[in-house]
Amino acid sequence: MTTRIPLDPLTDEELTALVDGLAGLPYGGEAVDQRTHALQTAWLAMDAGADDELVVASALHDIGRARPVRAEHPGLPHEVAGAEFARRRVSERAAWVIAQHVPAKRYLVATDAAYHALLSPASVASLKAQGGPMDEREVAEFAAHPLAADAVALRRWDDAAKDPDGPRLAMPALLAAHARCVAARRA
């Protein structure tokens, strides 16, 4: 899947402001705030050897909860608002993976018997609101998408990124990954 350059790629200042703007925002009853969660998810992605675009998408997977993105896309679920934002400012691949990180949870609950036990109480509660496990048709459709493995990987990093003392990707490393993505798309 080729990724085209977004019409208006994020600047370093914009990306920093977005991530820093997540500081102090609650994360659904979890022990970390949105900023810590975002940077920890990105760290887990980088630690797993993800490419730069997936690292950036991991950092921005919940960006639909950021005040400026919510203001741009009022009333949309956070994954949809985040995907709309990413489509315009990051890449189509990032947008798809961000949009699918919630369905990926539903997919994993339906396909991995041990996965449900790994979910935090807050994540179990949100699973019910998100529609519960996928049915067989939904599982087949999700699994058939060429980026399904990326969404599943992001979902697993998302689930693991709830440790207030856990490692976080430093902003300079996130900015460097983003800059490499932009440069690669322009090449």
Side-chain angles (χ1 to χ4, degrees), residues 82-157:
E84 290 301 316
F85 175 83
R87 185 168 287 112
R88 205 178 74 256
R89 304 299 308 272
V90 183
S91 72
E92 185 61 41
R93 178 182 175 211
W96 193 87
V97 173
I98 289 168
Q100 296 304 310
H101 83 277
V102 169
K105 177 167 68 169
R106 297 181 59 230
Y107 170 82
L108 283 166
V109 169
T111 61
D112 181 345
Y115 177 76
H116 191 274
L118 302 174
L119 297 176
S120 69
S123 195
V124 169
S126 67
L127 174 64
K128 289 176 188 166
Q130 294 159 344
M134 287 183 170
D135 62 33
E136 286 183 28
R137 180 191 54 77
E138 291 171 313
V139 164
E141 285 176 11
F142 181 87
H145 195 281
L147 296 176
D150 288 347
V152 167
L154 171 55
R155 181 73 235 174
R156 290 189 185 276
W157 301 322

Side-chain angles (χ1 to χ4, degrees), residues 146-184:
L147 296 176
D150 288 347
V152 167
L154 171 55
R155 181 73 235 174
R156 290 189 185 276
W157 301 322
D158 180 8
D159 291 326
K162 298 175 182 178
D163 180 356
D165 300 317
R168 300 169 201 159
L169 191 65
M171 275 307 298
L174 177 59
L175 294 173
H178 180 258
R180 288 188 298 269
C181 289
V182 172

